[in-house]
Amino acid sequence: IDRDEFIGILRGINDIFADAEALSYKAFMENCCACLTGYLLLFCMPTHYEKCVKRAAEYITEKNLNDLNRRGIFIIDPMEKGLRC
């Protein structure tokens, strides 16, 4: 696999996780509303972090299927291993 292509894939994953961890007005309001409802709101709707984690999993799956598997490489979703790898 080309070095630039691999770095691009890793940057894409890191960008998604950076978006998940970013402080924003939406995240602030989400947390305030969750606190006001006794965190029952979190049972009704996914958080921004959960949406980003799902988007990262889909991105990794797509890159594995389209680019990496045919070259004998497989990237594991870091959430499956508790962000340890």
Side-chain angles (χ1 to χ4, degrees), residues 9-36:
I9 291 170
L10 293 181
R11 281 193 180 138
I13 295 168
N14 286 335
D15 289 343
I16 294 171
F17 281 111
D19 181 36
E21 294 289 334
L23 297 176
S24 66
Y25 178 73
K26 181 180 177 181
F28 176 76
M29 290 305 297
E30 210 171 61
N31 285 326
C32 287
C33 290
C35 185
L36 290 173

Side-chain angles (χ1 to χ4, degrees), residues 4-81:
D4 293 331
E5 184 179 352
F6 186 70
I7 289 172
I9 291 170
L10 293 181
R11 281 193 180 138
I13 295 168
N14 286 335
D15 289 343
I16 294 171
F17 281 111
D19 181 36
E21 294 289 334
L23 297 176
S24 66
Y25 178 73
K26 181 180 177 181
F28 176 76
M29 290 305 297
E30 210 171 61
N31 285 326
C32 287
C33 290
C35 185
L36 290 173
T37 61
Y39 294 96
L40 294 174
L41 180 68
L42 300 180
F43 290 117
C44 302
M45 60 177 257
T47 63
H48 176 69
Y49 187 82
E50 291 170 343
K51 290 176 189 176
C52 288
V53 166
K54 183 178 178 183
R55 190 174 66 185
E58 291 170 355
Y59 178 79
I60 292 169
T61 301
E62 183 259 328
K63 288 297 180 183
N64 277 332
L65 291 175
N66 296 335
D67 299 332
L68 301 174
N69 283 350
R70 61 185 163 171
R71 296 177 182 161
I73 301 171
F74 182 76
I75 294 179
I76 296 173
D77 182 10
M79 290 304 289
E80 291 179 9
K81 302 292 182 185

